[in-house]
Structure formats: C-alpha cells, structure tokens
Amino acid sequence: MANFRRLAGNKQGKTVYVRFRLPYYTHWGQSLLVCGSESVLGSWDVKKGQLLRPVHRGDELIWSGDVAVPGGFGCEYSYYVVDDDKKVLRWEAGKKRKLSLPEGVEHGEVVEVHDLWQTGSDALPFTSAFKNVIFRGTCTLDIERPLGIIQNTSNAEVLFSTSDPLTDSIIVHFKVCYPNIDKDTSIHEVGFLQVYVIGHPLKLGKWKVQDGLKLDYADCKYGKNGKLSVETGFRELSMDSSNGPPKYIFVSDGMLKEPPWRGAGVAIPMFSVRTDSDLGVGEFLDLKLLVDWSVQSGLHLIQLLPINDTSVHKMWWDSYPYSSLSVFALHPLYLRVQALSSNIPEEVEQEIMKAKDQLDGKDVDYEATMAMKLSIAQKIFSLEKDLILNSSSFQKFFSENEDWLKPYAAFCFLRDFFETSDHSQWGRFSLYSKDKLDKLVAKDSIHYDIICFHYYIQYHLHLQLFEAAEYARKNRVVLKGDLPIGVDRNSVDTWVYPNLFRMNTSTGAPPDYFDKNGQNWGFPTYNWEEMSKDNYAWWRARLSQMAKYFTAYRIDHILGFFRIWELPEHAVTGLVGKFRPSIPLSQEELEREGIWDFDRLCRPYIRQEFLQDKFGSSWTFIASNFLNEYQKQRYEFFEDSFKEECNTEKKIVSKLRSCTERSLLLESEDKIRRGLFDLLQNIVLIRDPEDARKFYPRFNIEDSSSFKDLDDHSKNVLKRLYYDYYFHRQEDLWRRNALKTLPVLLNSSDMLACGEDLGLVPSCVHPVMQELGLIGLRIQRMPNEPGLEFGIPSQYSYMTKWQVCAPSCHDCSTMRAWWEEDEERRRRFFKTVVGSDELPPSQCTPEIAEFILQEHVEAPSMWAIFPLQDFLALKKEYTTRPVKEETINDPTNPKHYWRYRVHVTLESLLWDKEIKTTIRELVHCSGRSCPSVGETEAMIGEKQPTAVILEKSPSAVQLNGASEKETVAV
C-alpha cells in the first residue's frame, strides 16, 4: 500500500505528519490498521481506519504509515488486524491509546509513534484484583499531556543529534508504565521511586545512573538497602528515514519488566466452610473470618465455587452448584438469619440456637438447612417487611436489579405453586411475557407478599455478601468467583430467554481424565447466533453482576467457548456426542474415500455373541424385551434394532426401572443398563439429525466392536478422518469462535479472568488464552505434556499456557486421598518427582504434604491456589478424618451430593499459630507476595526490585554520529 499523507484540516494551516509504527507478525491475507477517535483515523469506524504497510527489518515485520494532521492534534487510537475487506480479525486488549502532539512542531515535520501490540496479558495489572485489591488502586504512569520542545532530561525527553548537519535534532520521548504504585503514594515517595534511562550515548549517562535520563512520575524500585535494581529483558529502538527523518519519536515501551508478581490462595466451596456462628453450612459473612485466616497465612486470594441459587428441585439434588436456577440470584443457603434484624424475637432466637445444634453435623444436610433458614427468615420478614421494603436502601437495590429480580421472584412463586420448576407444566405461564410478569408481581396481587419475600431474601444476601467482599478488598484479599458454563434447563433464564438456548440438546464433555464415558451435565447448549444479535447482553449482564462482589473469576469449562460437546437431550451418558460448532464429514467426502454403507456405520451393530458375552444366560430376556430381531440371531443393520420404547438412553433407564419394580430382572439393574448402553453406543458414525448427509465420528471410535469388524480399508480411512475431525480441521473455526465471544466477557468487567482449561484441549486454546490475558490452570496429576505422568511445577510457565498451579481441585480427590489411593502410582511419584528409590510412606504425612505444596509455591506460575483440605494435611491432627470424606465432587456421578464440610472451624484455625506460620513461611520463602498482618497496606516492599533493559539497534540515521550498535537501559 502506498504511503498516505492525507491532509486533515485547513490546507493553509500547519500540517504535521504522524507516523505510526508497530512490529507485528500477521498471516497471509491479514493487514494491520490503526483506527481512532478523530475522523482522520475513522472515528472508531474500522472500515474507515488507516491501513499500515509492512516492511521486513531483520527478524521483525514492521507495520507503519503516515497520517497528515493539524498542529496541536490529539486523539485516542487502537490497532486492529483485518482481512482484505477490513473485517476485524483481532484487536488489542487494554485501554485505548492516547496521543497528544508536542507544542512547537513545525509545518511538515514528522512525529513518529513507536508502539507495541497490547495483549490481554499487558492488561492484567489493571484488573480490579490488582488495582483495587492487591495494590489497592494504581496509577498509570505514562505521560499524556502535550510536550513542548524541552531538552531538560527531567521531562522524560532526550535530544539526539544526527550526523547530517542539515537535519534538526531528534527528540525521543521514552514512556514506560509501572502500575504497582498506590494512588495515595505521596509526591515525596514517588520522588524516591525513580526510573532512569541509561546507555552508551552521552545523553544517557555513559551507563552511569547518576548521569542518566530521569523519567517523571515513574519508578525504578530501590530495595530497603537503597541499591538499584535493573529491569530484565531487551528493547529495541530504531528509526526509518526513508520517508524523511522524524522530528520526534514517541517510544511507548509498555510495562516495566520486573520479575513477575506471584501470589498464593485457598480454594473452598462456600457450603464447606464451618464456623461457630453458621447454621449448618458456610455463610457469606463467614468469609470475613476466612479473610483474616488467609491474611495471617500469607494468602492473597480466596476461591469459591458458584454461589447462585440452584433451588430447582427443592431437594438435595440442588446441592450441585453448577446447575443454576438463576445466573443472577444468590443462594438462600448462604444467608445468615441472625443478621436479618437487630430485633429478632426471643422465641425466634431460641429456634435459631436449637437449629444450630441440630444442623451442626459432619456434612451439610441440604434439605434441612434450607427449610430451617427459609422458615426463620419468613418469621422475621413478617415482622419487618414494611420497614425493609420501604427503606431507601432496599429501594436502591430493587431499582438496580429489578430486570432479573422480578422474573426470579415470579419463577420461585410459580415453581412452588405448580410444585415443579418445569415451566412447560405451568399452563398459561409456560410462555414468559412481560405483561403476565407485571400482573403477577403487581402490588395489588394476592401473591404480592410471597413475591416480596423473595425480594427480601435476595436483598439481605446482597448486603451480607457485599459486606464480606468489601472486607476482603480492604485487607488485600482477592475474592474469586466461579462462572458456570451452563444453566439448568428448568431455570429462570430458559423461561425468560428461551431463544438463547438449544433446548433439544444437552451439554457435557467427551471422555477424559475425569470420566472414560464422558460427562453429561444436562444443561441446554447455547444459541450463540441468537446471543450475538444484542452483543451477548445476557453474558455481559452476568459478568456485571459478578463484579459487584468479586475481583476475579473462574470461567468454568472455558473450552466450551471454543466448542461445546453437544449431546441429544435424550442422552444419559456423555459418549455419543459431537462438537458444536464443527465441520462434519460430508457424505460426498466419505464416498470419495470408498465409504458407502452408512446404515452399517450409523446404527447399533449387534450380534448374538455380543448379547451372550454381556448378559450371559439373561441374553434371551434382553433380546426379546429390548431388541427387534432382524434375521434369526442377528440384530444389526436394522433401522429399529432397539424397540421404540427403549431406543434412547433415557428410555432404557425408564424401562429398566419398570422391570425392576416388577422384579423381572435376573441381574443388577446397573449391570444391564451399562450393557444396553454399550450396545446402543456401538456405532462408528453419528448422523446429523438436521442434515442426513453430514456425519460425525463417534468418540474413541477404535474401541467399538463395530469399528473392529470393518475391513482394513474402511478402518484406515475412518481412523484418518477421525483424527482429522478431532485434532485438525476444526482448529481455525474454534479459534475464531472463541475470539468472537470471550472478548465480550472480558470487556464486561475489570475482574481478573481465569479459565478452567482441563480435559481434551484443542491446540488453539492456549494461544488464544495468552493473547486475551486469560489465566489457565495446571493440575500436577493431569499434565499436558506427552509422556509425562506427573507435572513438574518448576517447569510451569508464568504467562504462556498456564498461570495457576495446584495439586488438586474440587473435581478430583484431595492431595491426601490421591497419595493414599494407589500404591504403584505413589511409588512412581516418589521416584520420579521426589527422586527417591526408597519405599514411600503409605499415608500422606505432613512432610509429604509440605514437599508437594512447596513444589507448587516455588513454581513460576502467577498463582498457586490450594484446596483448604490440602493445607490441613500439613498438620497431623487435622488428618484424622477419612480421606474419602474430603472429596467435594465425583464427576462420574451426575447425582453426586455436594455436602462436604471442613471438620474444623475457622475460629480454631485462626487460633492455630503453627499451621498459619507453616503456610506463611512456605509462601514467603518462595518469593510470593504475602499480605501484611494487622495492616490493610500490602507488602509491596517484599516484591523483588527491577528495572528495564532497552537495546537500540542501528538506524538509517546515526545518532550523535555513532555508527556502532548502542544499548540503553531503563
């Protein structure tokens, strides 16, 4: 593209040329474009932005272009990667850039702007977790005011002279950002914290700091002993004079390159917390005690599981925290009823005390706890409803939340009235409408008190969680929430927004570490096309709501934003699914490869010997009751090989239940169900229900006897197409899909975003996560490297694929249980990781626990986050509970009861100086940041001081007459 010099403004006025310059590698068919707030840069219309031209310089691809602007020009701008039609393929993360031209730039002079592409990683220090919590408010240290032609080094500018006597001086403006300074830092303190640019040229002090270039309001940190620390890494400064040398160079060098900040945290479900004040379950206000314990133990983060209301069935099934009744409402389970009023009647106080004793069990009694809390809350509500509902505080809460609060309260009323959350059974209320809602929640409605009770509960949950969240912020502890990948199909959200969901499908995960048969979570998949029509407003509202309480969040199953494992609604297991979106195998593609018999490949392949092998002497009963015989002793190739009443997994479950009730089964129901599922799943290809000429290879295709009985040609072809489908052809599609949706989530709040990226991970996932600044997860027992059985924490990466490390998580056994459940694996770990040929102890002793935890806190990962159970393993007296009882979830059991409670109270842990000291020393000695004990100020002084190294390569015009390569350091 030709160099452009489009005049901006009056031709008779002063015209200055701004030359944008950015190193960036693109793919074929991609270009770089600058777009900004002023018309000359497109007024934020990318189609009207200015394309840049590429030039190879050594190993770099430099994009640059000139824009003519009037004197005194200023604007905001950003860079975009576009295709040939200027369709945006990628955009920068972080804040908009700002440009203000210096005063005194003469007509026709060139101002060159040297920028670096801003990735999501660059924006991490500006998330609320850092700026509002760990560093408690930060300031951007780049200079945005217009600069005059000042040759005083105190103003962050340095004058270089060229060897050409006809050229004027070149002013270089260095700009670097160091965000980790509290906004309340005094001028005196900022003056002490200084950044210098030093280098070989005289103007840069001949490598002497005292003679170097001092930058304004920036910081090259000194340790307590006053010694200077030097930034790591190299930077380049070069100049292209082919289009005329610039008068000014603005070098925007991004962040100060100091050793990366590292911290540690604790993970525990809200329901698992135990205190002296709770009513059978952890409560939001208990988080204040957990904050105190975390601070004293050297931990900067508390990670929770989802805390949204899950009261779909009104029984213990609702203990599953990822099946939301509402993505906005908080769970009444976590309400502290004692805090509802300061005037609780004595008889109610007595009832609360009695309930405390009754519910103080080893595990959570979900149904009894919910019933007791709602009963007590109802009594207090009946006494104070007018006082609360008419208060200005409640009115403010209601006005800010009524868009979701009204439908939620109406849904809860209708659920209880019809005794089901299945809104298809609600008669005229089955289809949501705003008119029906308004009548239902109107003040003159006979149900208004019931509606207001749900308002009241949500109001107090908000107050209690907000109080705890503010307490965490003030004590520099990040509160990390959890964003579930799905919602229950019988939820407020599917009732109000049915168009946003594919209700005839179910969400899950293919076979992986957690379950060899895959997982079926039961959530409907999302209709992303419909969601995109309002720029994903539902998602943006979810994130905005979370940000009221949390400063970080975990994106559950982030792989689902690249592609989701979609199952038919009638499936029970997670095996026979397909990825959405994905590029299927077409009938034409298969026929070109010599694959013709689609009935054979798509229907259950059943032979008499299979029946005899699975069911033994019961095989004839199974055949006659569940299968249609095709030929004598043959059941395969028939369109209805399974009878109509049992041709899906859900139908099989239903029929087996009927047979059990009539005592017709000779073997266990579970064994027969597994055998029938195996037969139903014994296929090679899945035909698309919406297009019969499209097919998807069944997962683990080679394990099926249907595949094994094929001829060699068919097996070779299908094996090749299987690997192409799952591991190659989808990568670009999935990458583009994630880049459409994930940036919307990230831009909806300033929370620190973390992605749970376990399971079958496509190769496109980690580059996208790194580009967007998404923190990943690494569990030691689930390494991604081929050939490794155990991850090596010392080799983990800070800012590439992984950023959070942990020995375990809520979806697997605890560290102690993992150690004790498999002797052979324990021996391999002891030899491989510990480096000992001795026989390891059979139990996870405190010494073993400390070794594993130390490995993780010393890892380069940004965060080391440990389940509270793993911390408790550091002290023998806390390991008396059977290890299996500490498991939070069993992913292989879709009806698992989530009820684990810690067996020691937080008050006891706060009194235990020994374990707090042990944890704090582990964290501190690893070089990770620890919050101050007894103060709200963070221990910024503990972080290792650094400064920046900047390398300047030869340019077309010699500076100061020097031709040799020169280096400068910031």
Tab-separated table of all heavy atoms in Angstrom, residues 434-466:
chain	number	residue	atom	x	y	z
A	434	LYS	N	-43.801	-10.223	29.458
A	434	LYS	CA	-43.648	-9.137	30.437
A	434	LYS	C	-45.006	-8.725	31.001
A	434	LYS	O	-45.102	-8.375	32.180
A	434	LYS	CB	-42.964	-7.941	29.788
A	434	LYS	CG	-42.507	-6.893	30.810
A	434	LYS	CD	-41.675	-5.803	30.181
A	434	LYS	CE	-41.150	-4.835	31.238
A	434	LYS	NZ	-42.212	-4.285	32.087
A	435	ASP	N	-46.054	-8.775	30.184
A	435	ASP	CA	-47.385	-8.404	30.677
A	435	ASP	C	-47.833	-9.351	31.789
A	435	ASP	O	-48.341	-8.912	32.827
A	435	ASP	CB	-48.402	-8.433	29.530
A	435	ASP	CG	-48.192	-7.287	28.553
A	435	ASP	OD1	-47.529	-6.302	28.938
A	435	ASP	OD2	-48.678	-7.388	27.413
A	436	LYS	N	-47.630	-10.638	31.576
A	436	LYS	CA	-48.006	-11.606	32.616
A	436	LYS	C	-47.160	-11.402	33.873
A	436	LYS	O	-47.656	-11.504	34.993
A	436	LYS	CB	-47.822	-13.032	32.102
A	436	LYS	CG	-48.752	-13.429	30.966
A	436	LYS	CD	-48.408	-14.828	30.455
A	436	LYS	CE	-49.193	-15.171	29.213
A	436	LYS	NZ	-48.785	-16.481	28.638
A	437	LEU	N	-45.877	-11.111	33.669
A	437	LEU	CA	-44.996	-10.883	34.810
A	437	LEU	C	-45.456	-9.685	35.621
A	437	LEU	O	-45.525	-9.749	36.857
A	437	LEU	CB	-43.562	-10.677	34.323
A	437	LEU	CG	-42.543	-10.299	35.403
A	437	LEU	CD1	-42.284	-11.483	36.328
A	437	LEU	CD2	-41.232	-9.820	34.780
A	438	ASP	N	-45.748	-8.581	34.934
A	438	ASP	CA	-46.148	-7.364	35.642
A	438	ASP	C	-47.409	-7.592	36.472
A	438	ASP	O	-47.529	-7.058	37.587
A	438	ASP	CB	-46.384	-6.230	34.639
A	438	ASP	CG	-45.079	-5.735	34.020
A	438	ASP	OD1	-44.006	-5.995	34.609
A	438	ASP	OD2	-45.124	-5.105	32.945
A	439	LYS	N	-48.349	-8.369	35.963
A	439	LYS	CA	-49.569	-8.651	36.729
A	439	LYS	C	-49.258	-9.529	37.941
A	439	LYS	O	-49.825	-9.348	39.025
A	439	LYS	CB	-50.595	-9.343	35.830
A	439	LYS	CG	-51.158	-8.441	34.750
A	439	LYS	CD	-52.133	-9.189	33.844
A	439	LYS	CE	-52.665	-8.276	32.734
A	439	LYS	NZ	-53.568	-9.001	31.799
A	440	LEU	N	-48.341	-10.461	37.749
A	440	LEU	CA	-48.015	-11.407	38.811
A	440	LEU	C	-47.306	-10.725	39.980
A	440	LEU	O	-47.503	-11.092	41.141
A	440	LEU	CB	-47.132	-12.519	38.245
A	440	LEU	CG	-47.027	-13.825	39.026
A	440	LEU	CD1	-48.397	-14.478	39.180
A	440	LEU	CD2	-46.076	-14.776	38.319
A	441	VAL	N	-46.469	-9.720	39.679
A	441	VAL	CA	-45.687	-9.062	40.740
A	441	VAL	C	-46.282	-7.716	41.134
A	441	VAL	O	-45.656	-6.965	41.901
A	441	VAL	CB	-44.217	-8.882	40.305
A	441	VAL	CG1	-43.593	-10.229	39.956
A	441	VAL	CG2	-44.095	-7.913	39.131
A	442	ALA	N	-47.460	-7.403	40.651
A	442	ALA	CA	-48.092	-6.115	40.972
A	442	ALA	C	-48.417	-6.043	42.463
A	442	ALA	O	-48.676	-7.058	43.120
A	442	ALA	CB	-49.360	-5.941	40.145
A	443	LYS	N	-48.415	-4.832	42.996
A	443	LYS	CA	-48.648	-4.639	44.432
A	443	LYS	C	-50.050	-5.066	44.848
A	443	LYS	O	-50.272	-5.406	46.018
A	443	LYS	CB	-48.411	-3.176	44.809
A	443	LYS	CG	-46.940	-2.764	44.750
A	443	LYS	CD	-46.729	-1.355	45.261
A	443	LYS	CE	-45.245	-0.989	45.253
A	443	LYS	NZ	-44.984	0.374	45.775
A	444	ASP	N	-51.003	-5.034	43.913
A	444	ASP	CA	-52.365	-5.447	44.264
A	444	ASP	C	-52.595	-6.937	44.039
A	444	ASP	O	-53.705	-7.444	44.184
A	444	ASP	CB	-53.390	-4.632	43.480
A	444	ASP	CG	-53.204	-4.761	41.970
A	444	ASP	OD1	-52.240	-5.434	41.544
A	444	ASP	OD2	-54.017	-4.182	41.220
A	445	SER	N	-51.543	-7.667	43.692
A	445	SER	CA	-51.673	-9.106	43.506
A	445	SER	C	-51.842	-9.791	44.856
A	445	SER	O	-51.228	-9.391	45.855
A	445	SER	CB	-50.429	-9.656	42.795
A	445	SER	OG	-50.380	-11.063	42.885
A	446	ILE	N	-52.670	-10.831	44.901
A	446	ILE	CA	-52.876	-11.550	46.160
A	446	ILE	C	-51.614	-12.316	46.566
A	446	ILE	O	-51.494	-12.755	47.709
A	446	ILE	CB	-54.071	-12.523	46.059
A	446	ILE	CG1	-53.831	-13.550	44.930
A	446	ILE	CG2	-55.369	-11.772	45.835
A	446	ILE	CD1	-54.902	-14.629	44.891
A	447	HIS	N	-50.677	-12.451	45.620
A	447	HIS	CA	-49.437	-13.179	45.910
A	447	HIS	C	-48.284	-12.221	46.227
A	447	HIS	O	-47.151	-12.672	46.347
A	447	HIS	CB	-49.029	-14.032	44.700
A	447	HIS	CG	-50.150	-14.803	44.090
A	447	HIS	ND1	-50.833	-15.780	44.764
A	447	HIS	CD2	-50.703	-14.736	42.854
A	447	HIS	CE1	-51.764	-16.287	43.980
A	447	HIS	NE2	-51.706	-15.664	42.823
A	448	TYR	N	-48.589	-10.943	46.394
A	448	TYR	CA	-47.509	-9.955	46.478
A	448	TYR	C	-46.578	-10.208	47.663
A	448	TYR	O	-45.367	-10.016	47.561
A	448	TYR	CB	-48.094	-8.542	46.551
A	448	TYR	CG	-47.047	-7.460	46.453
A	448	TYR	CD1	-46.257	-7.327	45.305
A	448	TYR	CD2	-46.820	-6.572	47.514
A	448	TYR	CE1	-45.290	-6.343	45.209
A	448	TYR	CE2	-45.858	-5.580	47.427
A	448	TYR	CZ	-45.090	-5.475	46.272
A	448	TYR	OH	-44.118	-4.513	46.186
A	449	ASP	N	-47.115	-10.628	48.791
A	449	ASP	CA	-46.262	-10.891	49.949
A	449	ASP	C	-45.245	-11.998	49.658
A	449	ASP	O	-44.093	-11.924	50.102
A	449	ASP	CB	-47.114	-11.278	51.158
A	449	ASP	CG	-47.357	-10.085	52.076
A	449	ASP	OD1	-47.069	-8.947	51.639
A	449	ASP	OD2	-47.830	-10.278	53.206
A	450	ILE	N	-45.684	-13.018	48.935
A	450	ILE	CA	-44.777	-14.115	48.596
A	450	ILE	C	-43.679	-13.611	47.661
A	450	ILE	O	-42.501	-13.945	47.824
A	450	ILE	CB	-45.552	-15.277	47.950
A	450	ILE	CG1	-46.625	-15.800	48.904
A	450	ILE	CG2	-44.609	-16.404	47.537
A	450	ILE	CD1	-47.519	-16.870	48.308
A	451	ILE	N	-44.073	-12.801	46.680
A	451	ILE	CA	-43.095	-12.217	45.757
A	451	ILE	C	-42.083	-11.374	46.537
A	451	ILE	O	-40.860	-11.482	46.342
A	451	ILE	CB	-43.812	-11.346	44.707
A	451	ILE	CG1	-44.742	-12.186	43.827
A	451	ILE	CG2	-42.790	-10.588	43.854
A	451	ILE	CD1	-44.046	-13.181	42.945
A	452	CYS	N	-42.584	-10.557	47.462
A	452	CYS	CA	-41.702	-9.663	48.222
A	452	CYS	C	-40.761	-10.442	49.132
A	452	CYS	O	-39.646	-9.971	49.428
A	452	CYS	CB	-42.528	-8.681	49.047
A	452	CYS	SG	-43.263	-7.369	48.044
A	453	PHE	N	-41.185	-11.607	49.598
A	453	PHE	CA	-40.299	-12.414	50.438
A	453	PHE	C	-39.040	-12.802	49.661
A	453	PHE	O	-37.931	-12.776	50.212
A	453	PHE	CB	-41.031	-13.667	50.927
A	453	PHE	CG	-40.162	-14.595	51.727
A	453	PHE	CD1	-39.645	-14.203	52.960
A	453	PHE	CD2	-39.852	-15.853	51.242
A	453	PHE	CE1	-38.835	-15.063	53.696
A	453	PHE	CE2	-39.041	-16.712	51.974
A	453	PHE	CZ	-38.534	-16.320	53.210
A	454	HIS	N	-39.183	-13.129	48.396
A	454	HIS	CA	-38.009	-13.469	47.578
A	454	HIS	C	-37.146	-12.234	47.325
A	454	HIS	O	-35.911	-12.341	47.294
A	454	HIS	CB	-38.467	-14.108	46.264
A	454	HIS	CG	-39.172	-15.416	46.450
A	454	HIS	ND1	-38.552	-16.531	46.950
A	454	HIS	CD2	-40.472	-15.782	46.230
A	454	HIS	CE1	-39.413	-17.530	47.015
A	454	HIS	NE2	-40.590	-17.101	46.587
A	455	TYR	N	-37.806	-11.053	47.162
A	455	TYR	CA	-37.034	-9.816	47.080
A	455	TYR	C	-36.206	-9.635	48.357
A	455	TYR	O	-35.011	-9.289	48.316
A	455	TYR	CB	-37.952	-8.602	46.944
A	455	TYR	CG	-38.773	-8.493	45.686
A	455	TYR	CD1	-39.882	-7.636	45.648
A	455	TYR	CD2	-38.470	-9.217	44.532
A	455	TYR	CE1	-40.646	-7.494	44.504
A	455	TYR	CE2	-39.237	-9.092	43.385
A	455	TYR	CZ	-40.335	-8.236	43.380
A	455	TYR	OH	-41.100	-8.108	42.248
A	456	TYR	N	-36.869	-9.814	49.477
A	456	TYR	CA	-36.266	-9.604	50.798
A	456	TYR	C	-35.047	-10.499	51.008
A	456	TYR	O	-33.995	-10.037	51.473
A	456	TYR	CB	-37.353	-9.887	51.838
A	456	TYR	CG	-36.920	-9.914	53.286
A	456	TYR	CD1	-36.793	-8.744	54.026
A	456	TYR	CD2	-36.676	-11.134	53.927
A	456	TYR	CE1	-36.427	-8.780	55.371
A	456	TYR	CE2	-36.310	-11.181	55.271
A	456	TYR	CZ	-36.191	-10.005	55.990
A	456	TYR	OH	-35.831	-10.040	57.313
A	457	ILE	N	-35.178	-11.767	50.658
A	457	ILE	CA	-34.068	-12.711	50.815
A	457	ILE	C	-32.880	-12.276	49.953
A	457	ILE	O	-31.727	-12.254	50.408
A	457	ILE	CB	-34.508	-14.140	50.449
A	457	ILE	CG1	-35.546	-14.654	51.446
A	457	ILE	CG2	-33.308	-15.080	50.385
A	457	ILE	CD1	-35.014	-14.859	52.846
A	458	GLN	N	-33.149	-11.923	48.699
A	458	GLN	CA	-32.053	-11.516	47.808
A	458	GLN	C	-31.410	-10.211	48.269
A	458	GLN	O	-30.188	-10.035	48.146
A	458	GLN	CB	-32.570	-11.375	46.377
A	458	GLN	CG	-32.886	-12.695	45.701
A	458	GLN	CD	-31.677	-13.598	45.604
A	458	GLN	OE1	-30.596	-13.181	45.180
A	458	GLN	NE2	-31.835	-14.851	46.015
A	459	TYR	N	-32.190	-9.328	48.830
A	459	TYR	CA	-31.651	-8.063	49.343
A	459	TYR	C	-30.660	-8.317	50.471
A	459	TYR	O	-29.539	-7.776	50.478
A	459	TYR	CB	-32.806	-7.186	49.822
A	459	TYR	CG	-32.403	-5.976	50.632
A	459	TYR	CD1	-31.657	-4.943	50.069
A	459	TYR	CD2	-32.778	-5.866	51.973
A	459	TYR	CE1	-31.294	-3.825	50.819
A	459	TYR	CE2	-32.426	-4.756	52.720
A	459	TYR	CZ	-31.677	-3.738	52.140
A	459	TYR	OH	-31.326	-2.639	52.893
A	460	HIS	N	-31.033	-9.157	51.415
A	460	HIS	CA	-30.134	-9.430	52.538
A	460	HIS	C	-28.928	-10.261	52.107
A	460	HIS	O	-27.821	-10.069	52.646
A	460	HIS	CB	-30.898	-10.120	53.668
A	460	HIS	CG	-31.662	-9.163	54.527
A	460	HIS	ND1	-31.056	-8.354	55.456
A	460	HIS	CD2	-32.991	-8.876	54.582
A	460	HIS	CE1	-31.968	-7.602	56.064
A	460	HIS	NE2	-33.152	-7.894	55.553
A	461	LEU	N	-29.099	-11.169	51.170
A	461	LEU	CA	-27.944	-11.897	50.640
A	461	LEU	C	-26.955	-10.933	50.012
A	461	LEU	O	-25.733	-11.060	50.195
A	461	LEU	CB	-28.405	-12.939	49.615
A	461	LEU	CG	-29.088	-14.182	50.180
A	461	LEU	CD1	-29.792	-14.952	49.051
A	461	LEU	CD2	-28.082	-15.093	50.883
A	462	HIS	N	-27.487	-9.964	49.284
A	462	HIS	CA	-26.631	-8.939	48.671
A	462	HIS	C	-25.872	-8.165	49.737
A	462	HIS	O	-24.652	-7.967	49.630
A	462	HIS	CB	-27.485	-7.993	47.832
A	462	HIS	CG	-26.834	-6.675	47.545
A	462	HIS	ND1	-25.789	-6.528	46.665
A	462	HIS	CD2	-27.067	-5.428	48.074
A	462	HIS	CE1	-25.405	-5.261	46.635
A	462	HIS	NE2	-26.163	-4.576	47.469
A	463	LEU	N	-26.567	-7.709	50.781
A	463	LEU	CA	-25.910	-6.933	51.823
A	463	LEU	C	-24.802	-7.737	52.497
A	463	LEU	O	-23.706	-7.226	52.751
A	463	LEU	CB	-26.932	-6.490	52.868
A	463	LEU	CG	-27.986	-5.456	52.447
A	463	LEU	CD1	-28.911	-5.155	53.613
A	463	LEU	CD2	-27.330	-4.174	51.944
A	464	GLN	N	-25.075	-8.994	52.782
A	464	GLN	CA	-24.107	-9.816	53.505
A	464	GLN	C	-22.897	-10.159	52.647
A	464	GLN	O	-21.755	-10.098	53.119
A	464	GLN	CB	-24.796	-11.075	54.031
A	464	GLN	CG	-25.824	-10.768	55.112
A	464	GLN	CD	-26.534	-11.997	55.647
A	464	GLN	OE1	-26.088	-13.128	55.449
A	464	GLN	NE2	-27.645	-11.800	56.334
A	465	LEU	N	-23.136	-10.512	51.378
A	465	LEU	CA	-22.003	-10.819	50.508
A	465	LEU	C	-21.195	-9.560	50.203
A	465	LEU	O	-19.955	-9.595	50.169
A	465	LEU	CB	-22.491	-11.460	49.209
A	465	LEU	CG	-21.390	-11.812	48.194
A	465	LEU	CD1	-20.340	-12.723	48.811
A	465	LEU	CD2	-21.995	-12.453	46.947
A	466	PHE	N	-21.877	-8.441	50.004
A	466	PHE	CA	-21.171	-7.196	49.711
A	466	PHE	C	-20.304	-6.776	50.902
A	466	PHE	O	-19.178	-6.307	50.721
A	466	PHE	CB	-22.177	-6.092	49.373
A	466	PHE	CG	-21.534	-4.841	48.837
A	466	PHE	CD1	-21.144	-4.766	47.506
A	466	PHE	CD2	-21.300	-3.751	49.658
A	466	PHE	CE1	-20.543	-3.620	47.009
A	466	PHE	CE2	-20.698	-2.598	49.172
A	466	PHE	CZ	-20.319	-2.537	47.839
